[in-house]
């Protein structure tokens, strides 16, 4: 019998402590878990919320929505949407927003989802399998230059050009790539040097997953929406797992953590700062030892200022 796939929530206590830390012993109001996943953060938030608290979650993955259906707490609701739909919420209506970015262990470890080169499976990689193109469908028609740009920009892969060339040559010779194994083998032949301990396909798989799910664009949209929906004093907590995500979060918080002066109107009052950066947290050595997938995680915490936008 197959064992159920396990997902260990990264920075579980630290994230919930940061989210609810200034809210008192029985937090009320509305809170958001932007990436439900398998519900680790959501379940702990619900344990900590008071009777007047409400938790709204978002997730694009149908399997996450199925898992969320197991929560019978009347204070909880979930939407089958990406967390950029924060923008639909009323202004200053939310006490805190948590975003746990990237892909979950069950997604990686389920072969048919196509996220991992460890299995030979359909080349899919969609977070939401009910809509949009799979990676295989996109690679079947994309131009070489477009493929190279995606692999370079989202995977920071220096052999993006040769990989794209090999994908197009394979497409012309034998037909489009259909499986993760085919892609991994092709990439291994195109990457001339490898980083120690890393599969040569790692950066390409990351790039295609980020692109096909528009992950960075959705992150940027959700961050902007958080400024409007967070009430004064509300917390923004974001856990990222690679440098592209963390750079966006870091720069966003830095941008809104300072007053902005209009050089064209030197005597006008500056635009007030909208966030205060509170913390940057990495997993402990004990957590990394217990869950090696947590080693790249970075959590950034900011608080909405009392000054209206």
């Amino acid at each position: 019998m197959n064992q159920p796939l396990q997902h260990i929530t990264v920075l579980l206590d630290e994230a919930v402590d940061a989210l609810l830390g200034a809210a008192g012993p029985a937090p009320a109001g509305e809170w958001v878990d932007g990436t439900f996943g398998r519900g680790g953060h959501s379940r702990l938030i619900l344990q900590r919320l008071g009777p007047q608290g409400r938790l709204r979650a978002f997730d694009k993955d149908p399997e996450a929505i199925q898992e969320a259906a197991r929560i019978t707490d009347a204070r909880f609701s979930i939407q089958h949407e990406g967390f950029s739909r924060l923008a639909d919420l009323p202004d200053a209506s939310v006490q805190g927003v948590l975003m746990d970015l990237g892909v979950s262990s069950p997604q990686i470890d389920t072969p048919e989802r196509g996220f991992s080169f460890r299995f030979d499976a359909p080349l899919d990689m969609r977070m939401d399998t009910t809509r949009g193109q799979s990676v295989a469908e996109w690679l079947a028609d994309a131009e070489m230059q477009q493929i190279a740009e995606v692999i370079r920009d989202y995977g920071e892969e220096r052999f993006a050009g040769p990989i794209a060339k090999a994908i197009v040559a394979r497409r012309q010779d034998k037909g489009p790539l259909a499986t993760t194994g085919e892609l991994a083998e092709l990439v291994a032949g195109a990457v001339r040097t490898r980083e120690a301990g890393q599969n040569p396909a790692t950066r390409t798989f990351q790039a295609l997953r980020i692109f096909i799910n528009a992950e960075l664009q959705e992150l940027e949209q959700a961050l902007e929406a958080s400024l409007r929906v967070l009430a004064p004093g509300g917390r923004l907590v974001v856990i990222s797992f690679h440098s592209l995500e963390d750079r966006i979060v870091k720069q966003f918080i830095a941008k809104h953590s300072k007053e902005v002066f209009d050089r064209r109107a030197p005597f006008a009052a500056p635009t007030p700062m909208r966030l205060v950066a509170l913390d940057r947290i990495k997993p402990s050595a004990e957590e990394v030892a217990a869950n090696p997938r947590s080693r790249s995680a970075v959590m950034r915490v900011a608080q909405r200022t009392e000054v209206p936008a």
Side-chain angles (χ1 to χ4, degrees):
M1 178 181 294
N2 292 332
Q3 294 297 316
L5 297 172
Q6 297 296 314
H7 175 65
I8 303 173
T9 305
V10 174
L11 291 168
L12 174 60
D13 292 309
E14 294 89 341
V16 176
D17 286 346
L19 185 72
L20 304 178
E30 182 157 359
W31 304 77
V32 171
D33 181 353
T35 46
F36 178 82
R38 294 303 179 265
H41 287 122
S42 281
R43 288 183 171 90
L44 185 56
I45 292 168
L46 288 168
Q47 289 178 25
R48 298 270 300 273
L49 286 183
Q52 302 306 312
R54 297 291 182 271
L55 177 62
R56 181 193 299 264
F58 295 86
D59 208 293
K60 293 192 287 188
D61 189 338
E63 293 179 7
I65 301 301
Q66 292 176 9
E67 177 65 27
R70 298 173 58 188
I71 297 178
T72 58
D73 194 318
R75 299 171 300 165
F76 174 77
S77 64
I78 189 166
Q79 292 178 229
H80 183 198
E81 301 284 354
F83 53 76
S84 62
R85 295 305 293 267
L86 275 171
D88 297 340
L89 302 181
D91 292 1
S93 63
V94 173
Q95 309 307 309
V97 174
L98 171 63
M99 304 177 194
D100 182 5
L101 309 177
V103 63
S104 70
S105 294
Q107 289 171 324
I108 295 172
D109 294 336
T110 302
E112 56 267 27
R113 299 300 299 271
F115 286 107
S116 178
F117 43 74
R118 294 186 292 114
F119 314 102
D120 190 19
L123 188 56
D124 195 322
M125 296 198 206
R126 289 173 296 166
M127 298 287 190
D128 185 349
T129 53
T130 68
R131 65 189 88 173
Q133 275 189 313
S134 68
V135 168
E137 290 168 336
W138 182 74
L139 288 176
D141 296 316
E143 296 181 359
M144 185 189 306
Q145 183 61 32
Q146 189 180 14
I147 296 171
E149 288 175 355
V150 165
I151 295 173
R152 181 185 64 243
D153 294 347
Y154 296 138
E156 299 178 301
E157 171 59 74
R158 57 186 172 138
F159 295 110
I163 292 169
K165 184 176 180 180
I167 289 172
V168 172
R170 151 65 198 245
R171 191 170 72 194
Q172 294 171 343
D173 183 34
K174 298 181 180 179
L177 293 164
T179 71
T180 54
E182 292 171 352
L183 176 59
E185 182 180 3
L186 183 147
V187 172
V191 173
R192 294 190 294 274
T193 60
R194 309 180 186 192
E195 296 171 273
Q198 186 180 87
N199 187 291
T202 298
R203 292 177 178 272
T204 296
F205 271 65
Q206 170 189 294
L208 292 171
R209 189 206 83 218
I210 290 172
F211 170 76
I212 213 69
N213 293 291
E215 292 179 36
L216 300 187
Q217 293 89 336
E218 180 156 46
L219 173 58
E220 290 170 344
Q221 293 167 10
L223 289 171
E224 290 294 338
S226 72
L227 278 181
R228 183 178 56 76
V229 305
L230 277 171
R235 294 281 183 90
L236 173 65
V237 179
V238 186
I239 304 171
S240 58
F241 290 85
H242 62 75
S243 60
L244 293 176
E245 295 171 336
D246 184 53
R247 191 177 306 137
I248 290 172
V249 178
K250 177 182 177 180
Q251 292 176 349
F252 175 82
I253 293 174
K255 173 184 176 182
H256 294 288
S257 296
K258 58 187 176 184
E259 294 182 330
V260 178
F261 293 84
D262 187 345
R263 295 179 180 178
R264 298 166 299 179
F267 299 106
T271 301
M273 59 191 294
R274 306 171 77 183
L275 291 173
V276 177
L278 297 181
D279 213 345
R280 175 186 180 275
I281 298 172
K282 295 273 293 177
S284 66
E286 292 77 14
E287 179 168 5
V288 172
N291 179 19
R293 287 177 177 172
S294 71
R295 64 185 178 277
S296 59
V298 178
M299 185 174 79
R300 294 187 184 271
V301 185
Q303 186 162 317
R304 187 70 167 90
T305 62
E306 298 291 337
V307 180

